[in-house]
Amino acid sequence: MKKYDQIYYRTLAILLLMFTGAILVVNFLTPSNVFSELENRMLQQLPNFSLQTLRSGKFTSEFETYLSDQFMERDFWIGLKSDADRGMGKKESNGVYIGKDGYLIQKFSPPEKGDLEDKVKAIQAFDKATPGLRKYLMLVPTAAAVLEDKLPPYASGGNERGYWEKIRDSHLGDIRCIDVSPALEANKEQPIYYKTDHHWTTKGAFLAYRELSSPMSFTPGNEEDFNIRQVTSQFYGSLYSKSGFRHIQPDSIELYYSKSPRAVSVDYVDEQQSADSMYVMENLEKKDKYTVFFNGNHGLIRITTDNTEGRRLLIVKDSYANSLLPFLTPHFSEIDVIDLRYYEGDVRKLTEDRQIHDMLILYNISTFFEDPSIKSLADSVE
C-alpha cells in the first residue's frame, strides 16, 4: 500500500472516530426526552445500574434501548430511513404496509395457538354466570380485511373472516354475534378507516351503530339527524408513528353532533373526575388527536343521560368503541364502559350492583386476539 493511501485511510478512520465520539458526547450532554410525540410512546430513560441487573441482562437490554430512544435527532433518522426504504420500493415497515391512495394498513397477526379458545371459554363462563343479562359481541374487522384492494400486490389481509366465523360458531350460548363486515365492505369507497391510524373513522363507527340497532332493539338515528363537523385536518395516527413512513397526507377527524342534543354526564370513575361532554376538544392540539373521544382509555367510565326509560348498558371494549359511544347515548339511561386492560373490579358484581340489562363486547378483532385481559372475564365467576 502506498504511503498516501495509508495516510488517507488513517485520516478517514480518525475522522470517523471523532464523528462517533462527538455524537456520543452530544447524546450524553443532551437532556433525555421523556415522551415521543411522533411515536406516541414513553421513551427509555437511563437505567439504574446494579450487579443484579447487570448479571440478569436487564441493564444491558435497557441501556441498548436507552441509546436507541435517546439518539440525537432520532425522528430525523427514522424519517430518512423510511424515505430510503420507499425509494428502494419497500412497502412494509414495522408491520405496516404502505398501500394505495395513501393508506397505511397494519398487518394482521393471527392469534397464538390455543389463545382464541381460551378467550372463548372465558366469555362462555361469564355468559353462564349471568343468565339474566342480554349480551352481544361485535368484533370489528381491520382495514387489512375490508380494504384488501388497497394493499400492496404481494400482501394479504390474512384470514380474519375465518377466525371470526370460528368464534361465532363456538357455542357462545345466549351471546348474539353481530356481523359488521357487510356494512363496512358495502361502504369501503367512503372514508371508514383512517389512512394514518388503525382505528375506524366516525363514519365507520356510525355504520356499526346502525348495525347494532336491530339486535339491541333501538331505533337508530339517520345521518341527516346529525351536524357533521370536521374538527381537525392534521391527524397523524398510530400507524404513521409506528411505520416511520413520512410524506403522508394527514387525516381529518369528524364529530357527529345530534341536531336534537341531549344532556349527558361523563364520570371518569377511577380518576374521580366528571365532564358534561364526551369530547375533549383540547386534545385536538396534541399528537394523539383520537383521544378527543373520552380523553382516551380508562378503567371505568359512567355515562348518565336524560333518557328516562331506565335501560342500562355495559360496554366491555377497546378504543374502537370510543368513537361509537356517543351514538348510543340517546338510547340508554346509563352506560358503564369498561376497558379490561385497566379495570381491576369484578365485572359480574358490577352488572348486579348496577342492575345492568344489556352488555356489549366490542373490540377490533386484532386487539381481541392480542389483549390477554379478556380472559379476566372468567375471574369474576370462579
Side-chain angles (χ1 to χ4, degrees):
M1 183 181 292
K2 296 181 180 180
K3 186 175 181 180
Y4 67 84
D5 287 335
Q6 293 178 340
I7 295 173
Y8 170 77
Y9 287 117
R10 188 177 301 161
T11 303
L12 189 64
I14 292 172
L15 290 173
L16 181 61
L17 287 173
M18 291 175 63
F19 176 73
T20 305
I23 288 178
L24 290 174
V25 169
V26 171
N27 278 336
F28 281 107
L29 292 179
T30 302
S32 295
N33 295 312
V34 177
F35 183 80
S36 170
E37 286 284 347
L38 188 64
E39 297 175 83
N40 194 32
R41 69 177 181 88
M42 303 299 293
L43 298 176
Q44 176 67 50
Q45 303 301 296
L46 182 64
N48 294 322
F49 175 82
S50 71
L51 291 177
Q52 182 179 355
T53 59
L54 182 63
R55 284 195 297 264
S56 68
K58 181 181 179 182
F59 176 82
T60 304
S61 175
E62 291 184 352
F63 188 74
E64 289 177 356
T65 304
Y66 164 75
L67 289 178
S68 174
D69 280 3
Q70 302 297 337
F71 193 82
M72 179 181 64
E73 298 296 330
R74 184 172 187 273
D75 292 343
F76 167 78
W77 296 111
I78 290 174
L80 186 64
K81 180 182 181 301
S82 71
D83 288 344
D85 288 342
R86 289 180 67 181
M88 296 172 63
K90 186 177 180 181
K91 296 292 186 178
E92 180 187 350
S93 175
N94 204 20
V96 179
Y97 297 115
I98 182 165
K100 298 176 184 177
D101 301 325
Y103 274 93
L104 298 179
I105 301 177
Q106 186 164 327
K107 188 176 183 179
F108 173 69
S109 298
E112 298 288 337
K113 184 178 180 180
D115 190 59
L116 185 151
E117 291 78 9
D118 290 343
K119 288 173 180 174
V120 167
K121 288 178 182 177
I123 294 172
Q124 289 171 329
F126 186 85
D127 177 54
K128 290 179 181 178
T130 54
L133 185 63
R134 293 185 293 267
K135 291 173 283 287
Y136 311 87
L137 174 67
M138 176 182 281
L139 299 181
V140 183
T142 70
V146 177
L147 305 180
E148 197 165 4
D149 60 317
K150 304 291 186 187
L151 289 170
Y154 64 87
S156 168
N159 188 27
E160 286 187 29
R161 185 68 185 178
Y163 288 110
W164 183 89
E165 290 174 351
K166 187 174 182 179
I167 294 170
R168 180 197 61 191
D169 299 335
S170 296
H171 306 292
L172 290 175
D174 294 328
I175 300 176
R176 184 164 180 178
C177 283
I178 301 171
D179 187 3
V180 73
S181 293
L184 294 175
E185 289 170 357
N187 291 274
K188 67 180 183 180
E189 298 306 318
Q190 300 187 51
I192 57 174
Y193 291 95
Y194 293 112
K195 292 186 175 183
T196 70
D197 192 74
H198 69 285
H199 292 101
W200 55 11
T201 63
T202 319
K203 171 70 175 181
F206 174 76
L207 294 172
Y209 153 71
R210 299 272 302 176
E211 292 300 305
L212 285 169
S213 62
S214 179
M216 296 187 73
S217 302
F218 62 80
T219 302
N222 299 310
E223 204 159 34
E224 54 266 27
D225 296 326
F226 297 89
N227 291 314
I228 303 174
R229 186 187 308 168
Q230 178 181 298
V231 292
T232 182
S233 60
Q234 295 297 315
F235 174 40
Y236 290 99
S238 60
L239 301 183
Y240 178 86
S241 301
K242 182 179 181 181
S243 67
F245 287 127
R246 298 297 176 258
H247 310 300
I248 302 289
Q249 290 297 311
D251 282 300
S252 298
I253 294 179
E254 294 180 334
L255 302 183
Y256 282 49
Y257 289 94
S258 175
K259 292 179 180 178
S260 302
R262 308 182 70 163
V264 297
S265 174
V266 182
D267 292 318
Y268 299 94
V269 177
D270 295 338
E271 294 85 352
Q272 297 183 339
Q273 297 177 357
S274 61
D276 58 4
S277 174
M278 294 172 283
Y279 306 121
V280 184
M281 302 304 289
E282 56 264 34
N283 284 356
L284 294 171
E285 303 300 319
K286 298 180 179 179
K287 165 65 173 63
D288 189 3
K289 294 176 175 25
Y290 189 76
T291 58
V292 67
F293 302 102
F294 295 96
N295 200 28
N297 299 311
H298 305 265
L300 174 61
I301 298 174
R302 181 161 296 141
I303 305 170
T304 306
T305 77
D306 60 4
N307 182 304
T308 59
E309 296 178 4
R311 192 174 176 187
R312 294 173 177 170
L313 171 67
L314 169 66
I315 297 182
V316 176
K317 60 88 184 178
D318 68 2
S319 55
Y320 257 60
N322 295 2
S323 56
L324 185 145
L325 274 166
F327 296 115
L328 295 174
T329 54
H331 309 292
F332 296 88
S333 297
E334 294 178 355
I335 304 176
D336 280 19
V337 186
I338 287 177
D339 191 321
L340 292 173
R341 293 170 293 186
Y342 313 106
Y343 183 68
E344 298 180 353
D346 185 313
V347 179
R348 184 178 67 167
K349 187 174 186 302
L350 178 71
T351 64
E352 294 171 350
D353 292 346
R354 299 284 299 159
Q355 298 182 331
I356 290 171
H357 311 105
D358 300 271
M359 175 180 174
L360 171 63
I361 301 173
L362 195 160
Y363 281 82
N364 160 268
I365 195 167
S366 183
T367 306
F368 182 82
F369 292 145
E370 294 172 357
D371 181 13
S373 67
I374 298 164
K375 300 174 187 177
S376 66
L377 280 174
D379 296 343
S380 63
V381 299
E382 292 179 352

